[in-house]
Amino acid sequence: MDLVDFGRNPKAPQFGRFGTLNVRYGKAKRGQPPRRRNVLSVMDWAVEAVRDYAENIRPRFGCVDHPALWVTERGGRIKPSAAQRTVRAFAHQQAETARSTG
């Protein structure tokens, strides 16, 4: 996912440049290449989280010219497997916290 994959949605101007996401490698039908499609932003909190990361956190990595949205502290693109591990670890931590606070 690159920064240029986001665009404006004229029917949801409150989301600014994060109103749509161009999915370049979407799920394919059997025997077909990946399908491209645009996904509309619908959740205010999700748009705000991506905007905050893109505008306030990502620039701290010092790779403003890198096309990727999600970058590592070394300036490279985060691999899907690394993102999945991070999300799983966070979900596990949240479940443990919920169990312990019952």
Side-chain angles (χ1 to χ4, degrees):
M1 183 181 312
D2 290 344
L3 286 169
V4 297
D5 292 332
F6 287 96
R8 296 185 179 279
N9 178 356
K11 294 190 178 182
Q14 70 273 23
F15 295 146
R17 68 179 240 192
F18 298 102
T20 63
L21 175 63
N22 180 22
V23 178
R24 291 179 280 148
Y25 301 101
K27 187 173 180 179
K29 293 182 181 179
R30 188 181 311 224
Q32 299 291 318
R35 291 187 342 167
R36 293 178 74 116
R37 67 179 192 276
N38 284 324
V39 178
L40 301 178
S41 299
V42 294
M43 298 180 185
D44 293 348
W45 63 268
V47 171
E48 186 52 38
V50 171
R51 179 184 293 126
D52 184 47
Y53 171 79
E55 294 175 359
N56 298 314
I57 298 168
R58 187 180 177 281
R60 294 180 184 180
F61 290 108
C63 50
V64 293
D65 293 331
H66 198 290
L69 173 63
W70 309 108
V71 293
T72 68
E73 54 276 348
R74 292 185 178 178
R77 183 182 299 271
I78 289 183
K79 294 183 168 107
S81 59
Q84 289 172 346
R85 278 193 307 273
T86 301
V87 170
R88 281 190 194 120
F90 180 75
H92 180 71
Q93 179 185 29
Q94 294 301 307
E96 290 295 319
T97 300
R99 276 194 283 272
S100 67
T101 60

